[in-house]
């Protein structure tokens, strides 16, 4: 087991956003969290990555509790996040954006290796490496955000709504890239409004509702579940 979240409670001021959520991720899996807006999905990812502190509960990563660690330490331990909305750095080139992802890596040879791997996976970024990141298309910006996270050479990558706002042609490409990243050994925790796409590539999934886990099962089981179909798949 790579990551175990136990009875996680997270508040935004007086709002109880996450109400005792528990789930786990095994090494090498793709696991999806699905649910309506306001279910607590993004809050969970931000808490895992050290951007928010929980009121209570545990986050155990590779047998070490990390719920009180700061974000740079979490990245150093091997967890990177691709945030909702991409949040690339406008005014910086594609190359400079990618360099930001490698800020904790001191070994220049490893940084070069990360660049080579990212450019191999995203050839368009190599073509655009000197271009202002703000001038990229939405799909290209999403690839840049994913590439930036991969520069840190994570063992676990957290993806928050990677297909949001993308044209259909890019959506299929992004999900193919997620599968490829996973096939090369990176474990994936995925949040995605396109529940059908997410579950179709997931080993397992958890359905969240108002801060609680309501259902869990394999990707195939959740795709076939009538309740999930009605609520999230348009069935």
């Amino acid at each position: 087991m790579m990551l175990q979240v136990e009875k996680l409670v997270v508040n935004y001021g007086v709002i109880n956003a996450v109400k005792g959520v528990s789930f786990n991720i095994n090494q090498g899996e793709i696991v999806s969290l699905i649910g309506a807006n306001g279910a607590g999905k993004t809050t969970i990812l931000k808490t895992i990555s050290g951007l928010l502190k929980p009121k209570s509960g545990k986050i155990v990563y590779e047998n070490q509790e990390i719920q009180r660690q700061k974000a740079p330490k979490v990245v150093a331990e091997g967890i990177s996040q691709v945030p909702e909305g991409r949040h690339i750095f406008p005014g910086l080139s594609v190359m400079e954006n990618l360099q930001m992802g490698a800020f904790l890596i001191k070994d220049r040879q490893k940084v070069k290796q990360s660049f080579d791997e990212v450019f191999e996976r995203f050839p368009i970024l190599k073509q655009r490496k000197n271009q202002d990141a703000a001038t990229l298309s939405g799909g290209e910006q999403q690839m840049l955000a994913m590439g930036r996270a991969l520069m840190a050479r994570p063992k676990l990558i957290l993806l928050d709504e990677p297909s949001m706002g993308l044209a259909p042609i890019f959506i299929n490409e992004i999900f193919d890239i997620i599968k490829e990243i996973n096939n090369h050994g990176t474990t994936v925790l995925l949040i995605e409004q396109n529940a059908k796409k997410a579950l179709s590539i997931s080993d397992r999934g958890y359905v969240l509702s108002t801060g609680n886990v309501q259902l869990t099962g394999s990707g195939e089981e959740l795709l076939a579940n009538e309740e999930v179909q009605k609520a999230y798949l348009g069935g």
Side-chain angles (χ1 to χ4, degrees), residues 11-85:
N11 291 346
Y12 276 123
V14 297
I15 299 171
N16 188 199
V18 178
K19 305 172 182 176
V21 165
S22 298
F23 65 91
N24 62 75
I25 305 171
N26 298 314
Q27 186 172 345
E29 285 189 311
I30 299 177
V31 173
S32 285
L33 302 181
I34 64 170
N37 289 335
K41 305 183 302 297
T42 294
T43 299
I44 291 169
L45 257 60
K46 286 183 175 180
T47 308
I48 293 170
S49 59
L51 297 171
L52 294 173
K53 300 304 177 193
K55 181 181 179 182
S56 61
K58 291 182 181 180
I59 302 171
V60 182
Y61 170 70
E62 294 191 327
N63 299 315
Q64 179 183 355
E65 289 189 26
I66 63 168
Q67 67 270 10
R68 299 295 173 188
Q69 289 185 1
K70 294 182 178 179
K73 175 67 172 172
V74 173
V75 174
E77 295 288 345
I79 301 176
S80 290
Q81 181 171 350
V82 180
E84 180 182 354

Side-chain angles (χ1 to χ4, degrees), residues 95-151:
M95 195 81 171
E96 290 166 334
N97 267 267
L98 292 174
Q99 286 173 333
M100 296 294 282
F103 75 101
L104 288 176
I105 301 177
K106 306 305 180 187
D107 186 325
R108 290 186 179 182
Q109 188 59 38
K110 285 186 178 179
V111 174
K112 181 183 181 301
Q113 187 178 347
S114 291
F115 271 117
D116 290 343
E117 290 172 0
V118 167
F119 286 147
E120 183 178 356
R121 182 165 284 128
F122 305 103
I124 192 67
L125 297 184
K126 187 172 185 179
Q127 294 175 32
R128 306 261 199 270
K129 66 181 181 179
N130 297 316
Q131 191 170 317
D132 186 329
T135 66
L136 300 178
S137 71
E140 290 165 352
Q141 287 187 10
Q142 185 62 51
M143 292 178 192
L144 177 56
M146 293 170 73
R148 182 180 61 193
L150 291 170
M151 287 293 295

